[in-house]
Amino acid sequence: MPSTAPRPDAPYFIVMNAGSGHSETELRRSTIEQVFDGAGRRCHLELVEDPAGLEEQARALAARAVAEEGILVAAGGDGTINTVAHQAVLAGCPFGVLPQGTFNYFGRTHGIPEDLAEAVYALLRAQVQPVQVGLLNNKVFLVNASVGLYPKLLEARELDKRHYGRSRLVAFFSAVKIALRPHRHLRITLELDGKERRLRTTTLFVGNNRLQLEQVGMRDGLVEAVEDGQLVGIAPRPMGKLGLLRLLIQGLRGRLGEDDEVEAFAFRRLTVLTPAVYGRKRMKVAVDGEVSRMTMPLEFRVLEGRLHLLVQGPSRKEARPASDEARALS
């Protein structure tokens, strides 16, 4: 899809998650403001102390971005980015990302630096590129959405992060802990391409992120599907604790797609129902790392080109004039 340049004087409206510590939050805020000031660009930064108020503040800043022909920006992890992106899609305004999470799949997929100052600098030189998002019922997702065991894993991971800190190692041991606990299998019916099929699985995971699918080792064709207007469903067959632990290791080794106990398929629209005997009207779901409950049935589908994302501009080194480069080396 073609990219376009935003207005050179467009203001930026930034929603920033307060994060873990006051000093770290203030450092991030000052870094963002210093880069904008140094570039002579306007920005309005809203710090979100209470996660419950994130959606409301994102909606308010999205309205201002539309009214002033500006750009809405999310600074935080994948959950924060998701919430702000949802408002950008609804408002139809350009959207930028300053990734500050643990995995940063969305930012890394689109070449956005993880270093905050570099990410702000790149944002100021970025082009607007329409990208696809997934939709679970009425909720946008950028990276993945799931039902079954995976939402429980995320809840455990969030609890462990509060005790032991935010790191990929903590995330791994949380996954091991959940894999070794007793769990119930999920009995669901899938409506896909006009056909119904029953499925018994530990979890149904739906991916919308090329990098994440590559890392776990999805086979050829499925990784490319998300760049061809599709989503990818992954459903392990029912198994015990050791089987789940083996699958976790397979994913870490980038070989999940080779496992015969894993079913994977691409689609544009998928409806998930539960048997009537369950009497289940709501189900726990995870959307870009945030866990909630949604009313059944669940519908996964693609929205192509609906997020107007600011993608990577030149790095600070690439953008520096040759004379500046020579002075820096002297």
Side-chain angles (χ1 to χ4, degrees), residues 236-253:
R237 293 188 173 90
M239 60 186 67
K241 300 174 185 177
L242 293 181
L244 280 176
L245 187 58
R246 180 180 60 80
L247 281 188
L248 178 62
I249 294 172
Q250 287 284 73
L252 288 172
R253 295 174 62 199

Side-chain angles (χ1 to χ4, degrees), residues 142-260:
L142 307 177
V143 180
N144 62 59
S146 59
V147 297
L149 190 63
Y150 195 71
K152 296 178 182 177
L153 185 155
L154 293 176
E155 287 181 320
R157 187 174 79 186
E158 201 57 36
L159 187 62
D160 286 340
K161 283 178 180 177
R162 291 175 196 162
H163 286 94
Y164 306 112
R166 187 175 295 273
S167 73
R168 297 181 187 184
L169 186 63
V170 170
F172 169 72
F173 281 111
S174 294
V176 171
K177 181 172 63 177
I178 290 299
L180 294 177
R181 285 180 182 174
H183 57 273
R184 295 174 59 185
H185 294 134
L186 191 65
R187 297 176 185 269
I188 52 180
T189 299
L190 305 183
E191 288 184 356
L192 179 64
D193 298 329
K195 299 179 181 179
E196 284 192 4
R197 59 164 297 197
R198 293 178 182 175
L199 182 68
R200 188 165 173 258
T201 182
T202 53
T203 193
L204 174 64
F205 178 96
V206 175
N208 183 44
N209 184 272
R210 174 185 55 78
L211 177 62
Q212 189 176 47
L213 294 172
E214 283 178 347
Q215 284 191 346
V216 299
M218 281 294 101
R219 62 180 182 270
D220 290 344
L222 290 177
V223 172
E224 293 78 10
V226 297
E227 297 179 343
D228 189 34
Q230 298 184 83
L231 302 171
V232 174
I234 303 172
R237 293 188 173 90
M239 60 186 67
K241 300 174 185 177
L242 293 181
L244 280 176
L245 187 58
R246 180 180 60 80
L247 281 188
L248 178 62
I249 294 172
Q250 287 284 73
L252 288 172
R253 295 174 62 199
R255 301 181 65 176
L256 194 64
E258 303 173 13
D259 200 293
D260 293 337

Side-chain angles (χ1 to χ4, degrees), residues 1-5 89 92-95 106 110 126-133 142 208 226-229 302-312:
M1 294 181 184
S3 58
T4 58
V89 170
C93 60
F95 175 66
F106 183 73
H110 294 285
Q127 299 280 311
V128 178
Q129 174 76 55
V131 300
Q132 82 172 28
V133 297
L142 307 177
N208 183 44
V226 297
E227 297 179 343
D228 189 34
V302 175
L303 294 178
E304 291 188 73
R306 290 287 295 276
L307 182 65
H308 305 293
L309 179 69
L310 269 72
V311 296
Q312 170 77 27

